[in-house]
Amino acid sequence: MDERFVPDTDKDSNFRMIKETLLNCVRIPSKNIHYIQTDLSDPASAAERYENDIALFFGLSGGALPEFDLVMLGIGTDGHTASLFPDSAAVREKKRLAIAASAGRKKHMRITLTLPVLNRARNVIFFATGREKAKVLRAVVKEMDSSLPASLVSPESGRLLFLADSDAGLLLGEKEKKRA
């Protein structure tokens, strides 16, 4: 759903990590793997190529949005998800499928799917682990803090699920724990 603008062999590459931990262990035809390619000269070009790849795969035209079966997301301690950071232009993007995004003070530019795409998915699963995620998970699940991009992920007609370990769920009440 997002990628740092680094070579796909870089230690910070999401695709490298997914390839090493998952894709190398299963048989998936290469034509079924649609990753964000970062071998172009700039992140905006990589985002445009990824957007075109998605549109072609789903047969989209005229501003239509894809409908992914499953989107798996993490959540940052600042409430970001994918590469949608608080107060960033990427959070406000409504027309594009994918966009280049600044990670603020982080060192790499990124490419990310936009909120309209994430919110069209049939199923969205957030993963949160560790005590350092407890406050932000409470802000997203219980308080629904709209200043946090993770709170803005709300599938239009799909399901939303939070999977959290006991440390991340430490500040949730019983009602929220059932939701998370």
Side-chain angles (χ1 to χ4, degrees), residues 4-17:
R4 291 169 186 86
F5 192 68
V6 297
D8 63 15
T9 55
D10 189 280
K11 68 177 181 59
D12 290 334
S13 168
N14 288 338
F15 179 67
R16 181 204 51 80
M17 183 267 305

Side-chain angles (χ1 to χ4, degrees), residues 24-159:
N24 286 345
C25 302
V26 295
R27 286 186 173 170
I28 296 177
S30 59
K31 69 178 183 169
N32 293 350
I33 299 171
H34 301 272
Y35 66 101
I36 301 169
Q37 298 175 31
T38 56
D39 58 348
L40 294 177
S41 61
D42 63 275
S45 298
E48 185 176 343
R49 178 167 55 185
Y50 189 54
E51 185 172 75
N52 291 336
D53 184 37
I54 293 168
L56 183 64
F57 177 79
F58 282 96
L60 302 176
S61 63
L65 295 171
E67 188 176 52
F68 286 95
D69 291 322
L70 174 63
V71 170
M72 298 185 318
L73 297 169
I75 183 169
T77 57
D78 61 355
H80 86 272
T81 191
S83 286
L84 301 169
F85 292 88
D87 300 317
S88 71
V91 173
R92 296 183 296 277
E93 177 59 48
K94 302 291 184 223
K95 295 181 180 179
R96 302 279 313 271
L97 304 180
I99 188 168
S102 171
R105 45 186 202 283
K106 309 253 190 292
K107 61 181 177 178
H108 302 298
M109 284 292 293
R110 299 178 181 212
I111 298 93
T112 186
L113 290 178
T114 60
L115 278 170
V117 173
L118 300 178
N119 286 331
R120 184 110 164 97
R122 290 185 185 118
N123 298 282
V124 176
I125 299 175
F126 274 99
F127 295 93
T129 60
R131 192 173 293 255
E132 69 278 2
K133 302 284 178 78
K135 286 182 182 177
V136 73
L137 192 60
R138 179 186 62 203
V140 169
V141 174
K142 187 174 184 178
E143 299 163 11
M144 294 181 248
D145 182 344
S146 64
S147 71
L148 304 176
S151 290
L152 302 175
V153 176
S154 180
E156 296 165 5
S157 58
R159 293 181 295 204

